[in-house]
């Protein structure tokens, strides 16, 4: 038996090449793996996933052309590679923009920059928190639809410009009046920055997530779309069911309670390093049916 093992190693194992693997090599492999996984996960729920599958089919076709020596097809592919690269950037432009915005949300430098005074404008008071919670559930009790965007680090100036400037203090009475049926400002979204309502009747981008239920209306799709392109927390009050929902980070939680909404608002109330502890709530998650 020992002779057989020795012969096996002499004949097969001794001639095998084993590269020298260092710690940095392992770290590099892990980093590349995580990056590729995150890119695939990000693309899966967007239109880019369908485009990526089309590019894979095209690459497979070119591979077959190379195997069977189809010189004309290979020549056309070679000469058009630069055009295809530019076309890919143009086609994927919305997705690339969103990816860069997500990267910018990390705020790695702002946490250690002593001259960053923008944090002072990223807080809202307990009175604003209570007004948001009370007004949403008051509107839900009478099935008044509402869409409220609570801004965080990413400024939503481009979306404010689509609405009507208000610049007024957040209060339950103001919010109830804005979203009252048949009033000039009830259609569209309200943007809240700090303790003030900056704009009303704002248009939000609709989500292009392929997994969204067909039962969800425009208000919920707009909330998801805004949560995908910013770090804002969006509160939705359903006009049909009166349910209150929240969207953030591309996730939708429906049928929430006042305590849940107050907790989510409390989590984003302070943008300093002293974040409040995150409470895990059980509930129905993203893209549920109405």
């Amino acid at each position: 038996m020992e002779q057989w093992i020795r012969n096996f190693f002499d004949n097969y194992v001794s001639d095998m090449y084993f590269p020298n693997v260092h710690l940095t090599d392992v770290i590099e492999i892990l980093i590349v793996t995580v990056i590729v996984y995150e890119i695939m996960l990000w693309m899966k729920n967007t239109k880019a996933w369908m485009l990526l599958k089309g590019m894979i089919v095209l690459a497979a076709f070119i591979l077959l052309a190379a195997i069977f020596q189809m010189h004309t097809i290979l020549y056309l592919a070679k000469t058009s590679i630069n055009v295809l690269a530019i076309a890919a950037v143009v086609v994927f432009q919305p997705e690339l923009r969103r990816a860069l915005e997500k990267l910018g949300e990390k705020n790695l430098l702002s946490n250690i920059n002593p001259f960053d005074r923008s944090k002072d404008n990223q807080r809202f008071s307990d009175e604003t928190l209570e007004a948001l919670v009370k007004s949403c559930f008051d509107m839900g009790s009478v099935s008044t639809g509402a869409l409220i965007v609570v801004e965080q680090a990413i400024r939503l100036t481009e979306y404010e410009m689509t609405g009507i400037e208000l610049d007024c203090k957040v209060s339950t009475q103001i919010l109830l009046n804005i979203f009252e049926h048949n009033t000039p400002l009830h259609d569209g979204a309200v943007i809240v920055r700090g303790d003030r309502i900056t704009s009303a009747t704002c248009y939000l981008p609709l989500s292009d997530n392929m997994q969204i239920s067909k039962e969800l209306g425009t208000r919920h799709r707009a909330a998801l779309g805004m949560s995908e392109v910013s770090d804002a927390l969006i509160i939705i009050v359903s006009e049909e069911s009166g349910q209150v929902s929240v969207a953030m980070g591309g996730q939708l939680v429906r049928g929430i309670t006042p305590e849940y909404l107050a907790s989510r608002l409390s989590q984003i109330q302070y943008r300093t390093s002293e974040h409040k502890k995150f409470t895990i709530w059980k509930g129905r998650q993203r893209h549920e049916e109405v």
Side-chain angles (χ1 to χ4, degrees):
M1 185 65 180
E2 293 181 0
Q3 184 65 33
W4 180 85
I5 295 176
R6 188 178 297 107
N7 292 335
F8 175 81
F9 275 92
D10 292 339
N11 295 331
Y12 299 100
V13 179
S14 61
D15 294 333
M16 295 180 65
Y17 171 70
F18 293 97
N20 293 326
V21 179
H22 302 285
L23 179 61
T24 54
D25 299 324
V26 176
I27 295 175
E28 284 183 331
I29 293 173
L30 291 176
I31 292 175
V32 172
T33 302
V34 171
I35 291 175
V36 172
Y37 173 76
E38 290 294 334
I39 291 175
M40 298 296 291
L41 192 64
W42 161 68
M43 296 183 66
K44 183 178 180 180
N45 295 325
T46 66
K47 294 179 180 178
W49 182 250
M50 303 299 295
L51 297 173
L52 178 62
K53 291 195 292 186
M55 293 176 63
I56 292 175
V57 172
L58 181 61
F61 180 73
I62 295 175
L63 179 62
L64 288 175
I67 294 174
F68 292 102
Q69 295 296 310
M70 300 178 181
H71 300 290
T72 303
I73 294 177
L74 292 175
Y75 172 78
L76 293 174
K78 182 179 179 180
T79 54
S80 60
I81 188 66
N82 293 332
V83 177
L84 291 176
I86 297 174
V89 173
V90 174
V91 171
F92 286 96
Q93 185 271 336
E95 285 74 19
L96 292 173
R97 177 183 175 182
R98 293 180 185 179
L100 292 174
E101 287 175 343
K102 290 295 182 182
L103 183 62
E105 289 178 19
K106 302 304 179 182
N107 293 324
L108 298 177
L109 296 179
S110 62
N111 291 329
I112 61 175
N113 184 4
F115 301 102
D116 185 6
R117 302 302 181 186
S118 63
K119 294 178 182 178
D120 296 336
N121 299 324
Q122 295 170 2
R123 301 181 181 183
F124 52 84
S125 63
D126 292 336
E127 289 76 11
T128 296
L129 187 153
E130 294 171 0
L132 289 170
V133 174
K134 186 178 187 305
S135 60
C136 288
F137 283 90
D138 285 351
M139 288 185 286
S141 64
V142 293
S143 297
T144 298
L147 190 57
I148 302 173
V149 181
V150 182
E151 184 185 81
Q152 293 198 71
I154 296 180
R155 302 281 287 191
L156 305 177
T157 306
E158 61 179 303
Y159 302 105
E160 291 179 50
M161 296 173 62
T162 65
I164 298 174
E165 183 180 0
L166 293 183
D167 191 23
C168 61
K169 184 175 176 61
V170 175
S171 68
T172 302
Q173 293 78 10
I174 288 291
L175 291 171
L176 292 176
N177 189 67
I178 288 175
F179 290 108
E180 181 63 32
H181 293 288
N182 300 321
T183 56
L185 300 178
H186 84 282
D187 192 21
V190 157
I191 295 179
V192 175
R193 177 180 299 130
D195 290 320
R196 306 193 69 79
I197 300 173
T198 62
S199 189
T201 69
C202 300
Y203 294 99
L204 306 184
L206 298 181
S207 175
D208 57 2
N209 193 317
M210 300 298 181
Q211 297 181 354
I212 296 178
S213 170
K214 301 298 182 183
E215 299 291 331
L216 290 177
T218 304
R219 188 175 284 114
H220 291 81
R221 292 176 181 271
L224 280 170
M226 175 59 80
S227 72
E228 291 169 354
V229 301
S230 71
D231 62 346
L233 184 143
I234 302 93
I235 309 171
I236 315 101
V237 181
S238 174
E239 189 172 353
E240 291 75 18
S241 64
Q243 282 189 342
V244 179
S245 309
V246 293
M248 187 174 178
Q251 294 186 345
L252 176 67
V253 184
R254 297 179 55 210
I256 63 174
T257 62
E259 293 77 17
Y260 181 91
L261 179 57
S263 175
R264 292 300 298 269
L265 289 170
S266 179
Q267 291 164 16
I268 66 171
Q269 188 173 10
Y270 301 101
R271 297 294 296 171
T272 62
S273 59
E274 298 178 358
H275 291 289
K276 296 190 176 182
K277 291 183 179 180
F278 184 85
T279 303
I280 300 176
W281 291 77
K282 294 182 180 180
R284 296 173 293 174
Q285 295 295 321
R286 58 157 62 175
H287 315 322
E288 293 180 320
E289 296 183 357
V290 177

